[in-house]
Amino acid sequence: QVQLVESGGGLVQPGGSLRLSCAASGSILSIYHMGWYRQAAGKQRELVAGITRGSTTNYADSLKGRFTISRDNAKNTVYLQMNSLKPEDTAVYYCHAEVLLNILPRGPFEYWGQGTQVTVSS
């Protein structure tokens, strides 16, 4: 019913930047909260940043100032601008969305993207 497609991951040198995108499609009436999570090898998944439909944001304390989350409601897309990347940022980054459907049952339901790999290495 709803698909989240992530893009923008890849290999980058320390200090570099990447911009991740996640586009939602399907039977969408509206999207409430959207967020980015990441999971490094051998570690549990953690919140990176979240954003409401009104663009109120929240960040993991350790990432505030380097990462910026934003969204385009007309495109049902959320972005994550990552600057000053460090090797410790290496992880699979996952998009998450809380979606109200335009069909019954409406939800809201939670959806996850398949993840995109970000590798920070020299």
Side-chain angles (χ1 to χ4, degrees), residues 61-101:
D61 288 340
S62 63
L63 302 177
K64 189 176 298 183
R66 294 195 297 121
F67 289 14
T68 302
I69 189 171
S70 61
R71 64 188 286 172
D72 184 337
N73 291 334
K75 297 182 180 295
N76 287 328
T77 299
V78 64
Y79 307 93
L80 184 68
Q81 179 67 47
M82 304 185 293
N83 298 325
S84 301
L85 284 163
K86 305 174 181 179
E88 308 92 88
D89 296 319
T90 296
V92 177
Y93 284 71
Y94 296 92
C95 177
H96 173 267
E98 182 186 22
V99 180
L100 188 69
L101 304 180

Side-chain angles (χ1 to χ4, degrees), residues 38-75:
R38 70 183 185 185
Q39 187 167 22
K43 298 183 178 180
Q44 66 182 18
R45 188 173 298 187
E46 64 178 355
L47 173 70
V48 175
I51 186 168
T52 68
R53 184 168 182 83
S55 295
T56 298
T57 60
N58 65 286
Y59 298 89
D61 288 340
S62 63
L63 302 177
K64 189 176 298 183
R66 294 195 297 121
F67 289 14
T68 302
I69 189 171
S70 61
R71 64 188 286 172
D72 184 337
N73 291 334
K75 297 182 180 295

